[in-house]
Protein backbone atom coordinates (compact mmCIF):
# COMPACT_ATOMS: atom_id res chain seq x y z
CA UNK A 1 0.00 0.00 0.00
CA UNK A 2 1.41 3.36 -0.99
CA UNK A 3 0.58 6.73 0.48
CA UNK A 4 -0.97 7.88 -2.80
CA UNK A 5 -3.06 4.75 -3.32
CA UNK A 6 -4.48 5.10 0.18
CA UNK A 7 -4.99 8.84 0.50
CA UNK A 8 -6.14 9.83 -3.00
CA UNK A 9 -9.52 8.01 -2.82
CA UNK A 10 -10.10 9.31 0.70
CA UNK A 11 -9.38 12.88 -0.33
CA UNK A 12 -11.64 12.51 -3.40
CA UNK A 13 -14.48 11.29 -1.20
CA UNK A 14 -13.98 14.01 1.39
CA UNK A 15 -14.31 16.86 -1.15
CA UNK A 16 -18.15 16.82 -1.16
CA UNK A 17 -18.16 16.86 2.66
CA UNK A 18 -15.81 19.85 2.70
CA UNK A 19 -17.97 21.67 0.15
CA UNK A 20 -21.22 21.04 2.05
CA UNK A 21 -19.59 21.96 5.34
CA UNK A 22 -18.29 25.21 3.85
CA UNK A 23 -21.72 26.04 2.46
CA UNK A 24 -23.34 25.43 5.84
CA UNK A 25 -20.71 27.60 7.51
CA UNK A 26 -21.28 30.43 5.01
CA UNK A 27 -25.04 30.30 5.56
CA UNK A 28 -24.54 30.26 9.33
CA UNK A 29 -22.25 33.31 9.25
CA UNK A 30 -24.29 35.32 6.75
CA UNK A 31 -27.93 34.45 7.45
CA UNK A 32 -28.92 32.75 10.69
CA UNK A 33 -32.54 32.44 9.51
CA UNK A 34 -31.39 29.98 6.82
CA UNK A 35 -28.91 28.18 9.07
CA UNK A 36 -29.94 28.44 12.74
CA UNK A 37 -27.07 28.10 15.23
CA UNK A 38 -28.37 24.83 16.75
CA UNK A 39 -28.59 23.21 13.29
CA UNK A 40 -25.13 24.46 12.29
CA UNK A 41 -23.57 23.21 15.52
CA UNK A 42 -24.90 19.69 14.84
CA UNK A 43 -23.56 19.74 11.27
CA UNK A 44 -20.23 21.18 12.40
CA UNK A 45 -19.76 18.56 15.12
CA UNK A 46 -20.57 15.64 12.81
CA UNK A 47 -18.44 16.96 9.93
CA UNK A 48 -15.47 17.61 12.21
CA UNK A 49 -15.78 14.10 13.62
CA UNK A 50 -16.01 12.57 10.13
CA UNK A 51 -12.86 14.39 8.98
CA UNK A 52 -10.95 13.34 12.09
CA UNK A 53 -11.77 9.65 11.64
CA UNK A 54 -9.49 9.31 8.64
CA UNK A 55 -6.57 10.21 10.90
CA UNK A 56 -7.51 7.51 13.41
CA UNK A 57 -7.18 4.62 10.97
CA UNK A 58 -4.37 2.12 11.52
CA UNK A 59 -3.75 1.50 7.77
CA UNK A 60 -3.60 5.24 7.11
CA UNK A 61 -1.27 5.73 10.05
CA UNK A 62 1.04 2.99 8.82
CA UNK A 63 1.08 4.37 5.26
CA UNK A 64 1.89 7.89 6.48
CA UNK A 65 4.55 6.70 8.88
CA UNK A 66 6.78 5.32 6.12
Amino acid sequence: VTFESLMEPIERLSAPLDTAWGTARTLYVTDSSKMPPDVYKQIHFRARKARALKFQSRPIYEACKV
Side-chain angles (χ1 to χ4, degrees), residues 7-61:
M7 294 304 291
E8 202 276 318
I10 292 170
E11 292 300 320
R12 192 171 359 124
L13 289 171
S14 70
L17 171 64
D18 292 339
T19 301
W21 192 9
T23 302
R25 186 178 15 226
T26 301
L27 284 172
Y28 169 69
V29 171
T30 59
D31 190 351
S32 62
S33 68
K34 292 186 178 165
M35 180 61 65
D38 55 325
V39 173
Y40 174 73
K41 288 176 186 176
Q42 291 175 13
I43 293 169
H44 177 74
F45 176 75
R46 292 181 70 191
R48 194 176 73 194
K49 186 176 177 181
R51 282 189 89 196
L53 283 175
K54 70 181 175 184
F55 299 108
Q56 297 173 5
S57 165
R58 185 64 150 181
I60 294 173
Y61 171 77

